[in-house]
Amino acid sequence: MQRHEREIIGVDDRVSVSRAIPLGIQHMMSMFGSTVLVPVLTGLDPNVAIMCSGIGTICYLLVTRNKIPSYLGSSFAFISPIVIIGATRGLNAALSGVVVAGLVFLAVAGIIKLVGTGWLDRLLPPVLVASVMVVIGVGLSATAAKMAFQTTAADGTSVFYGLGAAIAAITLFAAVIFSSMGGLIGTVPVLLAIILGYIVSLACGLVDFQPVIDAAWIGLPTFQHPVWDWGAIALIGPVALVVVIEHIGHLLAVGEIVGKDYRPMLPRSLAGDGISTVISGFLGGPPTTTYAENIGVMSVTRVYSTQVFWYAAGFALIVGGFCPKLSALIRSIPSPVMGGVSLLLFGLIASNGLRMFVTNKVDFGVNRNLMIASVVIILGVGMETSGISIPIGQYALPGMATSTLVGIIMNLVLPMPPEEKAAEPESAQGSSTASQD
């Protein structure tokens, strides 16, 4: 049974350039669709967003001392406020809000650095973290399913797309088969599945090559600069507080997958995200955040090396910043292909949440654990898959953030069993030195 287990390439491990290149391309392509979608919806330049994701990831790796394997792409949480400001005050005004959102990240990072991260043990016990991981993965299932099985009809409605579903199935099963193999194939199953799905799509006539033909080989994206606008800042800046919750969930998910406790590095992680967002705002890109897609890639490949993320960031910087033709080529990948691999990637994140329940020996015979997991998972998944968010003034609280906040409140309010309460100081002791890093 064990002979089919693939090697684990750790965070600090290094691989040859011949292996790092396809591994880096795999991560870049996994984030590409979502990173491009945000600027498309907001009116910003997609190539700037791709380039900024590369620059931002490089900054993140530098700030975190090359210890946290994560990729930063465009954040969906800011779409609505950027669209509102863009329509009323202009995109340049909206970019000032993006810059301030990055400064909010930095401010929160500084506060956490001062107070430490020991409080995370109390606010985010294993039962809650595991439940949030399930929400992250399953909550994205609707997005993956729509990409895989639906298309837009002439009247604008979404309808089932049989050919697309077949291509998504081929891509999905290819990724599963490739991931079960050893050697190089087992480390780049997502990339190989995308290539296979693309070839099948090409044979079926689903690929539009005209934008690729029209694009130049060398060229710069259209940069924009922020214009200071207090209304934009007031609307866009505070959204960063919601993304902080998302960021913490992703960081804990990465730690669970790679087998490391990244809670002490939360200030650095948030600071890296903040610097990335500030730079993106000054260049004309959207705010950035850590990406679930790339967490899923690590889960399926067991390649956690930060070296690979340097390659991914470098490729994104080149493709988005200097080579429009390559950018157009990647954007020509049909939605069902990306939907097929996303079904696997998002499912693996949820599966790692389930594994966390087991590895941390979460006792569902304890009523408070059962209640927390039940409410957080159903509330978060229900809101995320239904596209429901809670309006708070001019803002909207998405499902993941809502379920996490509800879970935190339940964890603080529900009485703790005597045996867990007695063990709590001992477990929290290890992270009270949290922010010394």
Side-chain angles (χ1 to χ4, degrees):
M1 296 287 292
Q2 295 300 319
R3 10 187 280 203
H4 297 293
E5 289 287 329
R6 295 189 312 278
E7 66 170 326
I8 295 176
I9 300 177
V11 175
D12 301 318
D13 293 342
R14 295 293 176 264
V15 297
S16 65
V17 174
S18 61
R19 293 186 71 183
I21 288 175
L23 288 168
I25 293 174
Q26 179 173 244
H27 271 291
M28 180 190 68
M29 295 183 73
S30 297
M31 67 82 193
F32 203 92
S34 297
T35 294
V36 167
L37 182 59
V38 174
V40 167
L41 294 176
T42 56
L44 297 170
D45 190 308
N47 284 349
V48 172
I50 298 164
M51 183 189 70
C52 288
S53 76
I55 295 173
T57 301
I58 291 172
C59 291
Y60 181 86
L61 293 170
L62 290 172
V63 172
T64 58
R65 297 177 179 176
N66 220 33
K67 293 180 180 179
I68 305 177
S70 286
Y71 194 94
L72 272 60
S74 305
S75 173
F76 281 74
F78 294 85
I79 291 176
S80 294
I82 291 178
V83 169
I84 292 171
I85 295 298
T88 57
R89 300 171 182 264
L91 287 174
N92 295 92
L95 291 174
S96 67
V98 173
V99 172
V100 172
L103 297 178
V104 171
F105 273 116
L106 291 171
V108 173
I111 293 171
I112 295 176
K113 178 71 175 176
L114 291 175
V115 303
T117 55
W119 50 274
L120 281 174
D121 290 314
R122 180 69 182 100
L123 291 184
L124 299 169
V127 63
L128 178 52
V129 175
S131 300
V132 171
M133 286 180 65
V134 173
V135 171
I136 293 172
V138 181
L140 291 166
S141 61
T143 300
K146 288 175 183 177
M147 291 170 63
F149 303 128
Q150 289 187 339
T151 189
T152 303
D155 59 358
T157 59
S158 295
V159 295
F160 179 77
Y161 185 33
L163 180 58
I167 292 173
I170 292 171
T171 308
L172 170 61
F173 287 117
V176 172
I177 293 171
F178 291 144
S179 67
S180 65
M181 296 182 178
L184 179 61
I185 292 178
T187 58
V188 288
V190 175
L191 176 60
L192 294 177
I194 291 174
I195 292 174
L196 178 61
Y198 190 84
I199 293 173
V200 174
S201 300
L202 192 61
C204 294
L206 297 184
V207 179
D208 181 10
F209 252 111
Q210 195 58 47
V212 182
I213 296 172
D214 295 340
W217 277 105
I218 299 176
L220 294 173
T222 304
F223 295 110
Q224 292 178 275
H225 63 278
V227 174
W228 210 254
D229 186 292
W230 289 108
I233 291 170
L235 184 62
I236 297 174
V239 179
L241 296 174
V242 175
V243 184
V244 165
I245 300 173
E246 179 185 65
H247 186 108
I248 293 174
H250 284 176
L251 184 66
L252 295 176
V254 171
E256 176 64 20
I257 289 172
V258 307
K260 292 180 178 288
D261 182 6
Y262 283 130
R263 285 172 292 186
M265 294 197 67
L266 177 58
R268 284 186 173 274
S269 185
L270 286 170
D273 202 342
I275 293 172
S276 171
T277 297
V278 169
I279 293 174
S280 185
F282 274 115
L283 293 178
T288 60
T289 186
T290 48
Y291 254 34
E293 288 88 338
N294 300 89
I295 298 174
V297 170
M298 285 192 291
S299 181
V300 71
T301 62
R302 298 189 180 183
V303 178
Y304 312 137
S305 174
T306 51
Q307 174 200 12
V308 172
F309 286 87
W310 280 95
Y311 278 80
F315 291 140
L317 175 58
I318 294 171
V319 168
F322 305 101
C323 191
K325 192 172 287 291
L326 284 177
S327 175
L329 177 63
I330 298 175
R331 272 188 276 176
S332 71
I333 299 174
S335 179
V337 174
M338 299 309 299
V341 295
S342 295
L343 287 170
L344 175 63
L345 297 181
F346 299 153
L348 284 166
I349 298 172
S351 297
N352 277 287
L354 298 177
R355 185 181 68 176
M356 189 176 182
F357 284 126
V358 177
T359 56
N360 285 274
K361 297 182 173 61
V362 175
D363 185 3
F364 283 109
V366 177
N367 189 63
R368 78 187 303 274
N369 290 339
L370 190 62
M371 294 299 102
I372 290 173
S374 300
V375 172
V376 169
I377 291 174
I378 296 302
L379 176 63
V381 171
M383 290 182 64
E384 290 286 345
T385 55
S386 302
I388 297 173
S389 57
I390 298 177
I392 303 177
Q394 294 179 306
Y395 305 100
L397 200 63
M400 180 188 154
T402 302
S403 62
T404 302
L405 289 174
V406 170
I408 289 173
I409 294 171
M410 292 180 67
N411 178 59
L412 294 175
V413 172
L414 293 177
M416 187 176 292
E419 61 274 13
E420 289 189 22
K421 192 170 184 179
E424 183 187 8
E426 184 178 347
S427 64
Q429 191 174 9
S431 61
S432 60
T433 58
S435 50
Q436 64 182 354
D437 203 11

